[in-house]
Amino acid sequence: MTEYVVAPPAISAVPIKGSSAMFPVRRIFCVGRNYAEHAIEMGSDPTREPPFYFAKPADALVINDADMPYPSMSKSLHHEMELVVAIGLAGSDISVADALKHVWGYCSGLDMTRRDIQNEAKKTGRPWDMGKGFDHSAPMGALVPAAGVDPSKGKIELRVNGKVTQTSDLSKLIWSVPEVISNLSHLVRLEPGDLIMTGTPEGVAAVVKGDVLEGFVEGVGTVKTKIV
Ligand code: MN
């Protein structure tokens, strides 16, 4: 047995709805600007861009409706409500037609963003990591198995303190779930435990301490967190 010089990291995991079993998380990939109206609100042309990706560390997860601490070094914490895909079967160079066979399940998630740090990175051409991949930046609800979920349509919505801030439909994804899986699998070999946050619709906005965020994707489930 290997002896480690410091304690090995704990396995980050997402709960599964109606089960005591957990889904172990390997990596969290995120798609940028994948709804036209959000691309426009961020000042981009929604028609010309192929999908692009950034990542969050696996231990950025916030689960079981736990509170999310307001992050350091930011005065502009934004919510981004997203459908999350959980990969259950490894593969590279996956075809669009085969892509959904690699999905274990889906959940609702929040790609929380230090928008001021991200905007500064965009301006200077630097990486987005500290704007996107900080501690507690990925609240997620329970996973449901892929069978019975149609990721090509369904309402996606976020309420902040009971008021709707983001509302759209999965049918408005610029790159569909199978297209994202296929495209990403040409860049990296996808492995069981990988999560893909598929992008946010329009309506992103800043939150403050005390705000309660409640999101859902139709047919998938909910995500809830309070900013503290
Ligand atoms: Mn996002």
Side-chain angles (χ1 to χ4, degrees):
M1 211 168 105
T2 306
E3 194 180 314
Y4 296 103
V5 296
V6 296
I11 293 175
S12 218
V14 185
I16 292 162
K17 196 174 185 177
S19 169
S20 59
M22 303 282 283
F23 181 90
V25 176
R26 184 169 187 266
R27 297 174 290 190
I28 305 175
F29 295 107
C30 307
V31 186
R33 292 178 211 127
N34 203 18
Y35 289 81
E37 294 302 319
H38 174 62
I40 291 164
E41 79 179 349
M42 299 307 285
S44 300
D45 181 340
T47 59
R48 287 177 44 201
E49 268 182 302
F52 68 94
Y53 306 92
F54 55 92
K56 293 175 188 272
D59 64 1
L61 282 179
V62 177
I63 59 168
N64 296 326
D65 296 347
D67 294 344
M68 177 192 170
Y70 197 98
S72 60
M73 304 296 285
S74 178
K75 291 187 163 56
S76 184
L77 175 65
H78 272 209
H79 58 68
E80 295 192 358
M81 177 65 205
E82 313 204 359
L83 170 70
V84 183
V85 177
I87 297 294
L89 179 66
S92 45
D93 302 336
I94 299 166
S95 69
V96 173
D98 284 340
L100 293 184
K101 295 176 190 159
H102 294 261
V103 178
W104 187 91
Y106 300 92
C107 68
S108 287
L110 287 161
D111 167 15
M112 299 302 291
T113 302
R114 291 195 282 211
R115 193 71 75 200
D116 41 2
I117 292 180
Q118 186 203 21
N119 284 344
E120 190 59 29
K122 282 183 185 175
K123 248 187 268 168
T124 51
R126 290 180 180 155
W128 288 10
D129 298 47
M130 293 301 115
K132 289 288 196 178
F134 52 94
D135 300 340
H136 315 291
S137 61
M140 286 190 195
L143 278 167
V144 294
V149 177
D150 176 1
S152 70
K153 58 180 192 296
K155 191 173 188 179
I156 178 168
E157 192 165 278
L158 180 72
R159 289 167 191 258
V160 178
N161 304 325
K163 190 175 160 230
V164 176
T165 55
Q166 293 189 268
T167 185
S168 189
D169 196 280
L170 300 178
S171 61
K172 295 185 179 172
L173 281 165
I174 296 172
W175 297 90
S176 69
V177 169
E179 287 170 338
V180 166
I181 292 167
S182 174
N183 181 271
L184 181 56
S185 78
H186 284 77
L187 290 161
V188 291
R189 179 179 167 83
L190 293 175
E191 296 286 349
D194 289 339
L195 298 178
I196 307 171
M197 304 192 78
T198 56
T200 196
E202 67 276 19
V204 300
V207 292
V208 296
K209 281 183 192 172
D211 284 348
V212 175
L213 284 61
E214 295 175 282
F216 80 92
V217 177
E218 189 181 350
V220 172
T222 59
V223 56
K224 183 178 180 184
T225 191
K226 181 180 180 184
I227 310 299
V228 296

